[in-house]
């Protein structure tokens, strides 16, 4: 019996992770843009997964949020047995 492959995949995106961290810390995307001097429309696209941010942009956001990019791991799918 074949499993539906979509059910076996977990899609984790940097935009989703950043939104989750912002929520946990009680911060808004607007506040992060203001503090870091980021373009609000670009960050909005990142958070909606419409664009993939550069390494430097991602690092800057994560540093602001208190995370070290070396310890952030993103998985695109769950390994099947």
């Amino acid at each position: 019996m074949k499993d539906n492959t979509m059910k076996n995949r977990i899609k984790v995106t940097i935009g989703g992770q950043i939104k989750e961290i912002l929520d946990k810390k009680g911060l808004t995307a607007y506040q992060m843009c203001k503090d870091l001097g980021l373009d609000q429309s670009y960050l909005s696209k990142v958070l909606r997964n419409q664009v993939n941010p550069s390494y430097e942009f991602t690092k800057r956001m994560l540093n602001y949020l208190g995370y070290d990019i070396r310890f952030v791991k993103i998985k695109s799918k769950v390994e099947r047995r």
Side-chain angles (χ1 to χ4, degrees):
M1 180 181 257
K2 287 187 177 183
D3 288 324
N4 183 340
T5 56
M6 290 303 290
K7 289 182 181 179
N8 291 330
R9 293 183 185 188
I10 297 174
K11 187 173 182 180
V12 179
T13 61
I14 193 64
Q17 291 293 309
I18 296 295
K19 280 177 26 180
E20 187 177 316
I21 295 167
L22 284 168
D23 288 344
K24 283 182 183 178
K25 292 187 171 273
L27 298 169
T28 64
Y30 173 79
Q31 185 64 48
M32 185 166 66
C33 285
K34 187 176 175 182
D35 291 345
L36 295 178
L38 302 176
D39 179 65
Q40 194 172 357
S41 66
Y42 181 73
L43 179 60
S44 177
K45 289 177 184 178
V46 169
L47 298 178
R48 290 179 294 166
N49 303 307
Q50 293 177 335
V51 297
N52 292 317
S54 68
Y55 173 84
E56 288 301 319
F57 190 87
T58 303
K59 182 178 174 182
R60 193 168 172 205
M61 288 188 298
L62 290 171
N63 285 338
Y64 172 81
L65 295 168
Y67 285 76
D68 188 325
I69 198 164
R70 293 176 295 174
F71 298 106
V72 176
K73 183 176 181 182
I74 300 195
K75 294 183 179 183
S76 61
K77 64 181 179 179
V78 174
E79 291 184 26
R80 295 169 58 179
R81 294 180 186 167

